[in-house]
Amino acid sequence: MIELRSDTFTLPTPAMRDAMVRAPLGDDVYAEDPTVRELEELAASTLGKQAACLTPSGTMANLATIMAHAPRGAAMLVGAESDIYIYEAGGAAVCGGVTYLPVPNQPDGRLLLTDLAAGFPDDPDDPQFAVPALICLENTQNRCGGVILPLAYLAEVRRFADERGVPVHLDGARIFNAAVGSGVDVAEIARHADSVQFCLSKGLGAPIGSVVVGDADLIERVRRVRKMLGGGMRQAGIIAAAGIIAIREHGRLAEDHANARRLAEGLATIDGIEVDPASVQTNIVMFRVPEHRLTRARFLAEAHAAGVALAELGHGRVRAVTHSGVAGADVDRALTVIDAVLNGR
Ligand SMILES: *Cc1c(COP(=O)(O)O)cnc(C)c1O
């Protein structure tokens, strides 16, 4: 199977497996797992923050960080196409008592400052209105096609938030894709946010885990919420060992980006596919299959039966994600299969 549904299907490399076997371990709830501490120090220094906290998933990383930033009854501004709003089971509301204030994502992923400003009440002293306690951004922005938020835009949001005394949380599940895709150091992106979470378990290729980075006080609060949520893990060095390698070797994401471009350029030549190769900035390709020839469900099922797994992404869109388990030859094979499904009858 050529697995293009998600970069979460990546399997740990032999070097990761080896490191997992050999990792020195301790009880991380006592902060005594040396491998977790090494991972957290590496994550903090790589993203240019004081401290870091390993969590079992990106969902928990976002939730623990939101709860560390915002008290019960607070509101937060969040993209209407964001993972936090769409895919995280309403955790901020259910567990944190935090109200979501969804803001439309532009096709390039941004939340317009005018839309963010509209989330703030004219009279902040009017007790009817919650003053937003947090702004959440996502970079890269998955449902907008893995697009990269420009640094100048992040700086604008930073200024906007500072003027209002509100922290910024960056859901950087794929922040290393953003860094590699735009050729900047990841710390240059992280610098505009008070907190960042990133996934070790997507394109970076580790089997499990996400990391939150931020200043030491915030990370202490994140750690406490993580414990409450059941995310305090004991000999977690087993997974941290793979995470260390994942961070050190993030440069390999460039291959995934090249494969995504190659896939999009190939798709553009196939009769029956709508795609804009110029919109592909990282490892995600979004395209449409107009339904006059076969239904999207049938297209996906036939492609799957022929060995190519693709994801339905809503609004009539299909998503293909490249990762370490997809080689250049697999991209070419996937194109042949997709062409045959659409035009080979
Ligand atoms: C995958 C993802 C998450 C959640 O990570 P899990 O480890 O699957 O819980 C959060 N945000 C974004 C943008 C993601 O792509």
Side-chain angles (χ1 to χ4, degrees):
M1 183 64 67
I2 300 171
E3 182 53 77
L4 294 170
R5 282 177 297 172
S6 176
D7 46 9
T8 54
F9 284 90
T10 45
L11 296 173
T13 62
M16 287 178 185
R17 299 250 194 187
D18 193 49
M20 293 167 80
V21 168
R22 289 167 204 279
L25 304 174
D27 186 333
D28 183 52
V29 175
Y30 287 77
E32 289 181 17
D33 186 303
T35 310
V36 173
R37 293 175 78 160
E38 184 186 340
L39 168 70
E40 290 178 343
E41 280 162 24
L42 174 66
S45 66
T46 303
L47 279 88
K49 301 292 189 199
Q50 285 175 356
C53 176
L54 173 67
T55 63
S57 69
T59 300
M60 188 186 289
N62 282 329
L63 176 56
T65 311
I66 290 165
M67 290 174 69
H69 279 300
R72 297 189 75 77
M76 65 172 179
L77 294 159
V78 63
E81 289 289 329
S82 67
D83 200 280
I84 289 175
Y85 188 55
I86 293 184
Y87 293 123
E88 299 185 4
V94 175
C95 304
V98 175
T99 299
Y100 299 82
L101 299 174
V103 173
N105 284 95
Q106 301 302 305
D108 66 1
R110 290 175 308 141
L111 311 179
L112 295 181
L113 294 190
T114 47
D115 289 333
L116 290 173
F120 287 80
D122 294 335
D123 175 3
D125 296 324
D126 184 334
Q128 292 183 96
F129 299 109
V131 179
L134 181 63
I135 297 171
C136 298
L137 298 177
E138 183 177 310
N139 194 19
T140 64
Q141 173 66 50
N142 169 29
R143 288 175 60 89
C144 296
V147 291
I148 301 167
L149 299 178
L151 284 178
Y153 167 73
L154 295 177
E156 279 174 25
V157 175
R158 176 76 269 167
R159 249 188 329 270
F160 173 95
D162 285 345
E163 282 163 16
R164 289 160 180 81
V166 177
V168 175
H169 172 62
L170 182 61
D171 179 354
R174 297 186 180 84
I175 194 174
F176 284 95
N177 294 90
V180 168
S182 52
V184 303
D185 194 284
V186 71
E188 278 302 298
I189 302 174
R191 149 177 113 78
H192 299 291
D194 298 278
S195 54
V196 179
Q197 89 83 12
F198 66 93
C199 293
L200 297 165
S201 58
K202 291 187 172 160
L204 292 183
I208 301 168
S210 274
V211 182
V212 183
V213 299
D215 70 27
D217 287 353
L218 178 80
I219 295 303
E220 211 170 288
R221 297 201 300 280
V222 167
R223 226 176 265 291
R224 179 162 174 78
V225 180
R226 180 190 68 168
K227 187 70 176 72
M228 185 189 73
L229 296 172
M233 299 180 285
R234 304 296 177 173
Q235 285 70 39
I238 292 265
I239 60 173
I244 290 166
I245 294 174
I247 293 174
R248 292 219 175 103
E249 299 189 348
H250 72 264
R252 67 150 301 287
L253 293 171
E255 275 173 50
D256 302 343
H257 298 180
N259 280 334
R261 276 195 301 277
R262 178 188 182 117
L263 178 65
E265 282 160 11
L267 287 169
T269 68
I270 296 177
D271 188 23
I273 299 260
E274 287 176 8
V275 64
D276 175 12
S279 71
V280 175
Q281 298 179 8
T282 57
N283 66 330
I284 296 177
V285 179
M286 293 283 202
F287 60 96
R288 288 171 192 278
V289 183
E291 295 206 318
H292 51 258
R293 219 166 314 181
L294 72 181
T295 63
R296 200 158 31 257
R298 180 104 186 271
F299 166 72
L300 291 172
E302 288 191 14
H304 193 271
V308 178
L310 297 159
E312 168 96 59
L313 216 80
H315 309 307
R317 298 172 305 171
V318 176
R319 187 182 79 161
V321 186
T322 55
H323 53 77
S324 60
V326 179
D330 295 322
V331 169
D332 296 339
R333 171 85 193 125
L335 289 166
T336 304
V337 165
I338 291 169
D339 190 22
V341 167
L342 282 172
N343 301 306
R345 59 196 57 240

